[in-house]
Amino acid sequence: MPTRIPQEERTRQMRRRLLEATVDSLVELGWSGTTTTVVSQRAGVSRGAQLHHFPTKHDLVVAAVEFITERRRSQMDAVLADLPVEGRTRAVLEALSAQFISPVFFAALELWVAARTDESLRAEVDDLERRIGRETHAHAVTLLGIDESRGRNRQLVQATLDLVRGLGLAATLSDDSMRRTAILDAWAITLDHELER
Amino acid sequence: MPTRIPQEERTRQMRRRLLEATVDSLVELGWSGTTTTVVSQRAGVSRGAQLHHFPTKHDLVVAAVEFITERRRSQMDAVLADLPVEGRTRAVLEALSAQFISPVFFAALELWVAARTDESLRAEVDDLERRIGRETHAHAVTLLGIDESRGRNRQLVQATLDLVRGLGLAATLSDDSMRRTAILDAWAITLDHELER
């Protein structure tokens, strides 16, 4: 008797293929090049099935960014398990920064910039970004192993996240990894001086 | 005898109207909404005259971002003349940050993100961004009144610019000025501790 994949599992796999194809399309073709037609072709999913799960481009793109964010979160948990004792701050900065020089960030950036001039997309993306922002902040605090109620710790973590976001934006155009390494080296020393432990 | 505006001056004014209309269009309508037709209508310039000066959308948009960058530079010179002695670092951070939460930055961001997935635009934008980056860095060093060959000064200035770029990106979606103020307050204290004078 052949093994049957239950319907629920097949649906789950199809949704995942659609979301992965959406992310790939955003990364390669940008916002305007990403159409529901392109995505269904890339995912190998029929138009009908796609429209059933994600009726509009907006639904598809917001779900895709949410999906990759979930995946990013589990990657961060893996980082946490592997942090060195020596040079912990620098290792945390590397892990945080890596999130913003990845295809995941490039896809999110396309969504973000499109939302600025698209009222209907904006509320949804704003909400998603706030949620991601809070989670990333909490993660950074855990990774750094600090109490954020002390001194300027909270603001320094926020500044760190805005810094790596700025570095991510710079990395979209050209590979500036040498510059980034020097900046993160200096930032790690600064945090070790300024964070209250 | 009526005063005649010399041809050269009329051309200069027309070019400026076209570039200002391009920036306004990028800010309001984003990259895909900005077409040469929209720009010529907004500027009140005939299609023929526009095409003579800027044959393609790329020419128009790159020239527009360059134009507003020049204007931004003269604003920075005004800031330099007005810096307080007390709280100078915080005032510099305010001035730098203001550049990245302005329509000017939003217009540049549209160009930047479009260039990521557009090979022909990319080299030109990359070049422009490098130039702007170097100038902004030099400006920041002058404003802070530091010698960048000392200690980690150079990296701290670079980090500051990446930080305000990250803050600017966050500001595109929602007004987070309270959060930004707290971060810049904390960063000013940090810079005053860490910069070598």
Side-chain angles (χ1 to χ4, degrees):
Chain A
M1 215 169 83
T3 318
R4 286 195 55 210
I5 304 173
Q7 177 62 33
E8 203 179 302
E9 173 59 18
R10 269 181 295 160
T11 300
R12 213 181 58 81
Q13 285 179 3
M14 187 178 68
R15 285 178 66 96
R16 203 184 55 211
R17 282 209 310 281
L18 282 169
L19 298 178
E20 282 171 350
T22 304
V23 173
D24 291 348
S25 172
L26 284 171
V27 172
E28 278 174 45
L29 309 172
W31 175 261
S32 51
T34 299
T35 63
T36 51
T37 314
V38 163
V39 170
S40 66
Q41 280 168 358
R42 284 185 166 225
V45 168
S46 75
R47 291 283 288 157
Q50 185 200 39
L51 291 174
H52 176 72
H53 288 283
F54 303 102
T56 69
K57 174 176 170 177
H58 285 189
D59 296 328
L60 198 53
V61 169
V62 171
V65 170
E66 199 152 12
F67 166 76
I68 52 180
T69 305
E70 300 272 349
R71 197 155 57 183
R72 196 167 69 174
R73 200 173 305 143
S74 34
Q75 287 165 358
M76 287 299 279
D77 289 338
V79 169
L80 187 55
D82 252 0
L83 279 179
V85 177
E86 278 288 309
R88 177 182 176 119
T89 307
R90 184 63 182 79
V92 171
L93 291 181
E94 196 61 36
L96 291 173
S97 166
Q99 289 192 35
F100 289 86
I101 49 167
S102 64
V104 172
F105 175 67
F106 298 164
L109 185 61
E110 293 288 336
L111 175 61
W112 199 329
V113 170
R116 193 183 64 78
T117 50
D118 184 333
E119 202 65 56
S120 64
L121 193 55
R122 193 164 168 161
E124 226 170 333
V125 173
D126 193 20
D127 193 59
L128 177 62
E129 283 302 328
R130 273 174 207 277
R131 203 143 28 93
I132 296 175
R134 272 195 302 270
E135 283 168 9
T136 312
H137 183 95
H139 239 114
V141 169
T142 310
L143 291 174
L144 288 166
I146 55 168
D147 172 354
E148 72 164 333
S149 68
R150 301 191 61 188
R152 284 170 287 121
N153 284 5
R154 184 174 160 70
Q155 288 74 34
L156 287 169
V157 171
Q158 288 180 315
T160 299
L161 293 172
D162 282 295
L163 167 69
V164 291
R165 187 189 297 128
L167 288 171
L169 186 52
T172 59
L173 278 191
S174 53
D175 175 17
D176 62 346
S177 49
M178 273 177 58
R179 187 183 81 94
R180 190 168 52 247
T181 298
I183 293 174
L184 293 178
D185 286 346
W187 192 272
I189 297 169
T190 305
L191 282 182
D192 282 336
H193 288 176
E194 301 287 329
L195 285 173
E196 289 192 24
R197 300 284 182 176
Chain B
M1 215 170 82
T3 317
R4 287 195 55 211
I5 304 172
Q7 177 62 35
E8 202 178 303
E9 173 60 19
R10 269 181 295 160
T11 300
R12 212 181 59 81
Q13 285 179 4
M14 187 178 68
R15 285 178 66 96
R16 202 184 55 210
R17 281 209 311 281
L18 282 168
L19 298 178
E20 283 172 350
T22 304
V23 173
D24 291 348
S25 172
L26 284 171
V27 172
E28 278 174 47
L29 309 172
W31 175 261
S32 51
T34 300
T35 63
T36 52
T37 314
V38 162
V39 170
S40 66
Q41 280 167 358
R42 286 185 165 224
V45 168
S46 75
R47 292 282 287 157
Q50 185 199 40
L51 291 173
H52 175 71
H53 289 283
F54 303 102
T56 69
K57 174 175 171 178
H58 285 189
D59 297 328
L60 198 52
V61 169
V62 171
V65 170
E66 199 151 15
F67 167 76
I68 53 179
T69 305
E70 300 273 348
R71 199 155 57 185
R72 196 166 70 172
R73 198 173 305 143
S74 34
Q75 287 164 358
M76 288 298 278
D77 288 336
V79 169
L80 187 54
D82 253 0
L83 279 179
V85 177
E86 278 288 310
R88 178 182 175 120
T89 306
R90 183 63 183 79
V92 171
L93 290 182
E94 195 63 36
L96 291 174
S97 166
Q99 290 191 36
F100 289 87
I101 48 166
S102 65
V104 171
F105 175 66
F106 298 163
L109 185 61
E110 293 288 337
L111 174 61
W112 198 329
V113 170
R116 193 183 64 79
T117 50
D118 184 333
E119 201 67 55
S120 64
L121 193 55
R122 192 163 169 161
E124 225 170 333
V125 173
D126 193 20
D127 192 61
L128 177 62
E129 284 302 328
R130 274 174 206 276
R131 203 144 27 93
I132 296 175
R134 273 195 302 269
E135 283 168 8
T136 313
H137 183 95
H139 240 114
V141 168
T142 310
L143 291 174
L144 288 165
I146 55 170
D147 172 355
E148 72 164 332
S149 69
R150 302 191 59 188
R152 283 171 288 120
N153 284 3
R154 185 176 158 70
Q155 288 75 32
L156 287 169
V157 170
Q158 287 180 316
T160 300
L161 293 173
D162 282 295
L163 167 66
V164 293
R165 187 189 298 129
L167 289 171
L169 186 52
T172 58
L173 278 191
S174 53
D175 175 16
D176 62 344
S177 49
M178 274 175 57
R179 186 183 82 94
R180 190 168 52 246
T181 298
I183 293 173
L184 294 178
D185 286 347
W187 188 244
I189 296 169
T190 305
L191 280 182
D192 282 337
H193 289 177
E194 301 288 327
L195 286 172
E196 290 192 24
R197 302 283 184 177

